[in-house]
Amino acid sequence: MGVVGSGTMGAGIAQIAAQGGMEAVLHDSDGAALEAGLERARAGLERSAEKGRLSGEAAASAIARLRAAPGMEALGGCRLVIEAAPERLDLKRELFAGLEAICDPGAVLATNTSSLSVTAIAAEAERPERIVGMHFFNPPPAMKLVEIVAGDESSEDALAAATEAGEAMGRTPIRARDAIGFVANRCARPFTLESLRMLGEGVAEHEEIDRVCRIGGGFRMGPFELMDLIGVEVNFAVAQSFWEQSFGEPRWRPHPLQQRMVASGRLGRKTGRGFYDYGGDGPHRAPDPELEAERPIFDEDELEAAAGPRAPEILGRIGAQIANEACFALGEGVASAEDIDTAMKLGFNWPLGPLAWGERLGWSRALGTLEELRELHGDGYRAARLLRERAGA
Ligand code: NAD
């Protein structure tokens, strides 16, 4: 298999391909980036062996299957090529035209795009039926999810081959339609957006919202810590892209607080300050006291006892909105119910999938929360038809 672009994603994708028994040819137009990517893939395999996740022998043979190619022609013999170049439509179209010229007509050509349409990338191709999305998560060796995205023209045969390759790479493939943000990034939107709204409304401070999500929700990280980790500007750009691509869907309206943070240079860990301060010697927040309850907690009294008096409201709002977004995605046929829940558990390490969350929270409780908020704040809280049906409304 071939990988085009040996940056953050490409190097990790080549690593798991080699680990999965494939001959992996890594290509990058920048020689230094190519060498660095190959080195990262090798180092990743060595580290897995040191940690005992892989035998020394398996790591050595995987390393032997990794190769760097300064010219794209070297990918001519590949049955599958995954493109992981920068997120630009014109560049990706050009790369796919080049790949079609050198690869066998039966080869599967995949894009790792996270926000562009697979159909649009394939639009000018000679064989759009051979082009699919294979959307991996960062860092690929640690994240088990791969979304197999069907463009309008993708053939079932190409999708099946991509699914099989994803499995061979040790991932769990799910099937997604070529819709805005596919599955995982879309269903994750309300986690940060709803939290920003609550912060903006003065429901609670960011530390408290984060703590409630960890202690009561069982999320490994609260939404504000998460934004600081990935970069506040990155999260804001994703929010804007959803908003623009949907022509202003009210659920996806970005929050002015994000823009203000970006304008003031508070981008998170990378700038030493985001929602939290990372400048000092100590950790950015106090450790959580150990609690033995099972998480997430849905019983309101238990939740209050564990995470404080505002916890039911905070987690109730986040829970209603994540379940609602998943119902919209399911209703629009973006993925199956099972795949939606799998995507969130494997792509974002959520303790429960959003549909299972709605079930545990209670659909009528979720609907009640949404209706109350819609009354106060408008259509950003419009309930999905499927959620209404599940609530028996
Ligand atoms: P990156 O900038 O780290 O790497 C891109 C690489 O492509 C660079 O090494 C660059 O030299 C190379 N490149 C540029 N032009 C090229 C060309 N014409 N031919 C060959 N190589 C070329 O980017 P990334 O973060 O790895 O993202 C790559 C793709 O993966 C994007 O489409 C992005 O949306 C998607 N993605 C990123 C993440 C993430 O968290 N970073 C997660 C999922 C998907």
Side-chain angles (χ1 to χ4, degrees), residues 3-337:
V3 180
V4 176
S6 76
T8 307
M9 297 303 290
I13 293 168
Q15 179 185 329
I16 55 179
Q19 194 174 331
M22 301 174 207
E23 299 281 333
V25 190
L26 189 55
H27 163 72
D28 199 291
S29 55
D30 176 334
L34 181 60
E35 273 315 306
L38 184 68
E39 198 38 55
R40 269 202 316 283
R42 283 187 184 139
L45 288 162
E46 278 161 5
R47 221 170 25 248
S48 294
E50 278 159 23
K51 289 188 175 166
R53 289 196 215 110
L54 206 62
S55 73
E57 208 175 307
S61 61
I63 289 172
R65 284 191 290 273
L66 275 173
R67 193 150 62 82
M72 203 161 81
E73 323 76 65
L75 305 185
C78 294
R79 284 164 53 205
L80 167 67
V81 178
I82 301 177
E83 168 276 316
E87 192 74 333
R88 278 183 16 230
L89 182 62
D90 58 337
L91 172 66
K92 290 189 193 281
R93 281 181 169 169
E94 193 183 305
L95 285 171
F96 278 91
L99 287 168
E100 281 193 313
I102 57 171
C103 292
D104 186 86
V108 175
L109 306 178
T111 173
N112 184 47
T113 183
S114 25
S115 64
L116 299 171
S117 150
V118 174
T119 309
I121 291 171
E124 292 171 357
E126 272 176 47
R127 296 182 294 278
E129 69 278 7
R130 305 307 294 167
I131 298 181
V132 302
M134 279 183 90
H135 183 219
F136 292 86
F137 290 73
N138 188 16
M143 304 307 285
K144 289 287 179 195
L145 181 69
V146 58
E147 296 180 332
I148 307 295
V149 185
D152 290 355
E153 307 284 335
S154 309
S155 71
E156 205 37 60
D157 177 63
L159 291 163
T163 305
E164 201 178 305
E167 276 165 359
M169 291 162 88
R171 303 307 99 178
T172 302
I174 65 144
R175 181 66 72 87
R177 255 188 56 191
D178 188 19
I180 302 172
F182 313 134
V183 182
N185 283 340
R186 170 178 176 166
C187 291
R189 292 313 310 146
F191 186 59
T192 47
L193 267 181
E194 190 55 21
S195 304
L196 284 158
R197 289 177 185 167
M198 287 191 280
L199 178 63
E201 284 166 38
V203 171
E205 292 301 322
H206 67 275
E207 293 97 334
E208 184 176 357
I209 297 172
D210 276 356
R211 186 169 174 277
V212 165
C213 287
R214 293 190 307 269
I215 309 263
F219 292 96
R220 290 198 192 161
M221 221 183 262
F224 297 99
E225 294 173 282
L226 182 67
M227 283 185 272
D228 275 0
L229 180 70
I230 62 176
V232 178
E233 86 290 10
V234 174
N235 187 267
F236 181 46
V238 175
Q240 279 179 299
S241 157
F242 270 71
W243 169 252
E244 284 158 15
Q245 287 191 65
S246 66
F247 302 111
E249 165 56 49
R251 290 196 316 287
W252 294 337
R253 191 168 71 208
H255 200 282
L257 272 175
Q258 290 172 298
Q259 189 170 43
R260 210 172 66 195
M261 298 277 295
V262 174
S264 62
R266 289 171 60 176
L267 306 184
R269 289 188 188 219
K270 68 177 82 165
T271 55
R273 196 167 165 223
F275 291 100
Y276 294 87
D277 203 331
Y278 302 89
D281 294 332
H284 64 282
R285 63 165 169 88
D288 296 323
E290 288 196 358
L291 285 163
E292 281 157 25
E294 192 197 333
R295 287 181 182 74
I297 306 169
F298 291 97
D299 179 87
E300 292 209 358
D301 295 332
E302 247 179 80
L303 183 55
E304 225 180 279
R310 279 183 290 263
E313 181 185 355
I314 293 169
L315 219 48
R317 282 180 65 160
I318 291 175
Q321 281 286 58
I322 63 177
N324 194 32
E325 191 61 54
C327 283
F328 272 109
L330 181 61
E332 291 163 23
V334 173
S336 71

